[in-house]
Amino acid sequence: MVIVDSSVWIDYINRHDTVQTSILQSLLGFEQLGIGDIILTEVLQGFRSDRDYRRTLRGLSAFHAFEMLGVDNAIRSAENYRGLRKRGITIRKTTDVMIATFCIEEGHQLLFSDADFQPFVEHLGLVAVG
């Protein structure tokens, strides 16, 4: 399954053409896509318009939703963060650590455009799409 990060969803919703939004467009209807609760929060919190919020929530509800954290993944996320810090790499957003850790632990691929995920690919086995 491919988990699509908020960085890609936000660009897609705002109709910004990027490599990642093109990949997302090509996967829609052909690949099993998922969204995490953390990602859902990141996407939905940015809407000013109630209409756009409701429309996007309906659209994203079509994808399999995962609860990404839980106690085990919280601990594993802290371990991953600490492991990268020991290598001199600081991840700016805790949510990115949680999302990457979930994908690594559950064996899901991640479609992202946020550079903070790259150390997880290079050092911890996260599988990137694209």
Side-chain angles (χ1 to χ4, degrees):
M1 172 158 317
V2 174
I3 304 297
V4 181
D5 181 54
S6 59
S7 57
V8 178
W9 282 120
I10 291 166
D11 283 345
Y12 184 79
I13 291 164
N14 290 321
R15 297 189 172 121
H16 295 142
D17 291 326
T18 67
V19 169
Q20 291 80 15
T21 59
S22 294
I23 292 170
L24 175 57
Q25 183 66 46
S26 71
L27 295 175
L28 288 168
F30 297 100
E31 183 73 37
Q32 193 173 21
L33 302 178
I35 190 165
D37 52 359
I38 298 167
I39 296 166
L40 192 59
T41 298
E42 289 180 321
V43 173
L44 294 175
Q45 71 188 4
F47 285 98
R48 291 189 179 129
S49 158
D50 291 341
R51 179 179 171 220
D52 291 340
Y53 170 86
R54 287 189 304 271
R55 182 183 55 196
T56 302
L57 177 56
R58 275 192 310 274
L60 293 176
S61 295
F63 302 102
H64 185 82
F66 294 96
E67 293 182 14
M68 297 187 112
L69 194 55
V71 174
D72 291 339
N73 274 342
I75 294 167
R76 189 69 182 129
S77 293
E79 292 169 351
N80 285 342
Y81 180 88
R82 293 181 71 243
L84 290 173
R85 281 293 301 267
K86 288 176 183 178
R87 294 175 178 262
I89 301 165
T90 302
I91 305 301
R92 296 173 295 150
K93 294 185 289 181
T94 301
T95 55
D96 290 346
V97 177
M98 295 172 188
I99 292 165
T101 299
F102 172 82
C103 290
I104 292 165
E105 294 299 310
E106 298 298 320
H108 298 306
Q109 299 174 61
L110 183 63
L111 177 58
F112 63 90
S113 60
D114 186 331
D116 273 344
F117 289 110
Q118 199 57 42
F120 292 92
V121 173
E122 293 170 7
H123 301 289
L124 298 174
L126 176 64
V127 178
V129 176

